[in-house]
């Protein structure tokens, strides 16, 4: 299971409608290589955060959110050190879930249902009470709202290099012009490439990456002023404006809501 802390157990070998496991991410298990499951998988972040990458997108999962991965979708995961995660594996056809990957905002009820299921052993999972719990979980899961916490990416070498470089040094790589010069391309042709590969303009694509980086840093305890500086903003106010426009609330309010979840 690629260091998932499940002691070699393969959830795909079981036919139970729902299987759940809670883990703490060890320092040497932060990166989980690409793999896939026959079952659909919900990765719930209880504390810390996890980034999940599929073929054409990266999904950010802050606390009290989850990423949904339909069955047989190849993915890799990267978690923050010490992150508390819960994996929920769902047998195909048992509940109507999105057909594509997405980030869900998970209610307190759904979170507690998953944690309760994770705490039950094999015999207890066969009891009628657990089967009723799973049915309530399946009633609630389709009602969880989707959140726009994904970054479109592609296998194109230039797009991959842009993402990796801007993740490492976001303040240094701010403009389309910088990248056009790096690639010896015109800005117009590079702008067209970004739209073709990601579906977003360079400006919107870069801001989405900044939002994901900002959430990761804020969850890690960085002050808002430091996050703004790291992302290359001249003023904290400008960063807060961008954050509010992207997520509908200020960084302080966003963190407060996460803490209440």
């Amino acid at each position: 299971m690629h260091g998932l802390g499940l002691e070699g157990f393969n959830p795909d070998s079981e036919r139970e409608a729902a299987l759940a496991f809670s883990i703490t991410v060890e320092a040497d298990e932060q990166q989980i290589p690409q793999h896939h499951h026959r079952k659909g998988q919900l990765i719930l972040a209880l504390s810390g955060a996890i980034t999940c990458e599929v073929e054409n997108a990266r999904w950010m999962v802050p606390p009290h959110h989850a990423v949904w991965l339909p069955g047989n979708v190849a993915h890799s995961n990267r978690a923050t050190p010490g992150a508390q995660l819960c994996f929920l594996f769902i047998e195909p056809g048992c509940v109507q879930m999105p057909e594509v990957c997405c980030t869900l905002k998970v209610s307190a009820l759904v979170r507690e249902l998953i944690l309760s299921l994770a705490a039950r052993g094999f015999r207890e999972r066969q009891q009628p009470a657990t089967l009723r719990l799973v049915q309530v979980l399946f009633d609630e899961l389709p009602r969880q709202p989707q959140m726009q916490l994904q970054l479109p990416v592609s296998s194109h070498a230039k797009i991959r290099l842009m993402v990796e470089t801007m993740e490492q040094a976001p303040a240094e790589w701010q403009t389309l012009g910088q990248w056009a010069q790096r690639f010896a391309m015109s800005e117009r042709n590079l702008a067209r490439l970004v739209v073709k590969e990601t579906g977003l303009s360079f400006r919107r694509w870069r801001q989405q990456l900044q939002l994901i980086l900002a959430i990761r840093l804020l969850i890690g305890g960085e002050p808002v002023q430091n996050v703004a500086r790291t992302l290359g903003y001249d003023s904290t106010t400008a960063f807060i404006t961008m954050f509010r426009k992207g997520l509908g609330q200020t960084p302080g309010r966003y963190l407060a809501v996460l803490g209440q979840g």
Side-chain angles (χ1 to χ4, degrees):
M1 290 300 294
H2 305 288
L4 294 184
L6 302 184
E7 299 177 354
F9 180 71
N10 178 12
D12 283 344
S13 67
E14 302 294 326
R15 294 286 174 174
E16 292 179 59
L19 284 169
F21 302 90
S22 295
I23 70 162
T24 299
V25 178
E26 302 296 338
D28 60 349
E29 293 181 348
Q30 292 176 46
Q31 185 73 39
I32 302 170
Q34 189 176 79
H35 60 289
H36 68 275
H37 311 281
R38 177 180 62 81
K39 294 174 179 282
Q41 183 183 14
L42 195 74
I43 304 176
L44 171 64
L46 304 171
S47 66
I50 184 168
T51 303
C52 182
E53 182 163 344
V54 297
E55 182 181 11
N56 60 353
R58 288 184 184 181
W59 304 89
M60 176 65 183
V61 191
H64 315 308
H65 290 67
V67 64
W68 165 249
L69 300 156
N72 294 314
V73 171
H75 59 282
S76 60
N77 303 325
R78 186 178 70 199
T80 54
Q84 298 278 338
L85 306 175
C86 198
F87 298 110
L88 174 68
F89 296 95
I90 298 177
E91 189 70 14
C94 286
V95 60
Q96 190 67 40
M97 293 293 285
E99 296 180 359
V100 296
C101 298
C102 57
T103 300
L104 304 175
K105 183 170 175 55
V106 175
S107 69
L109 172 59
V110 166
R111 185 173 72 250
E112 292 305 320
L113 287 169
I114 294 173
L115 289 174
S116 179
L117 183 61
R120 303 185 185 210
F122 176 78
R123 289 187 177 180
E124 196 176 1
R125 293 201 306 268
Q126 312 308 310
Q127 299 300 316
T130 301
L131 301 181
R132 290 194 296 271
L133 179 149
V134 169
Q135 189 53 60
V136 174
L137 176 60
F138 285 173
D139 288 342
E140 292 295 319
L141 272 177
R143 301 175 58 189
Q144 306 307 293
Q146 294 188 27
M147 307 296 289
Q148 298 305 311
L149 293 176
Q150 77 273 23
L151 178 74
V153 294
S154 79
S155 59
H156 195 288
K158 288 184 172 63
I159 299 298
R160 303 294 298 193
L161 179 61
M162 291 170 77
V163 171
E164 290 164 8
T165 305
M166 289 191 292
E167 275 189 323
Q168 295 301 317
E172 297 175 26
W173 293 91
Q174 290 284 310
T175 69
L176 186 66
Q178 285 176 300
W179 283 109
Q181 187 173 5
R182 169 79 178 267
F183 295 138
M185 298 174 67
S186 70
E187 288 190 34
R188 176 179 294 182
N189 284 343
L190 182 55
R192 287 174 177 167
L193 176 67
V194 172
V195 171
K196 177 186 175 185
E197 294 293 326
T198 72
L200 299 176
S201 69
F202 174 79
R203 179 185 175 85
R204 282 198 59 203
W205 184 60
R206 188 196 67 208
Q207 283 194 344
Q208 191 66 13
L209 175 59
Q210 289 178 329
L211 277 175
I212 289 173
L213 293 176
I215 293 170
R216 191 182 299 162
L217 291 167
L218 290 165
I219 290 170
E222 286 291 328
V224 173
Q225 293 85 348
N226 290 5
V227 175
R229 194 178 308 115
T230 298
L231 297 182
Y233 281 84
D234 293 331
S235 73
T236 304
T237 301
F239 164 69
I240 292 173
T241 299
M242 182 279 293
F243 194 96
R244 186 192 293 130
K245 189 176 295 184
L247 292 173
Q249 49 199 351
T250 65
R253 179 59 185 157
Y254 186 83
L255 286 176
V257 170
L258 287 186
Q260 294 167 4

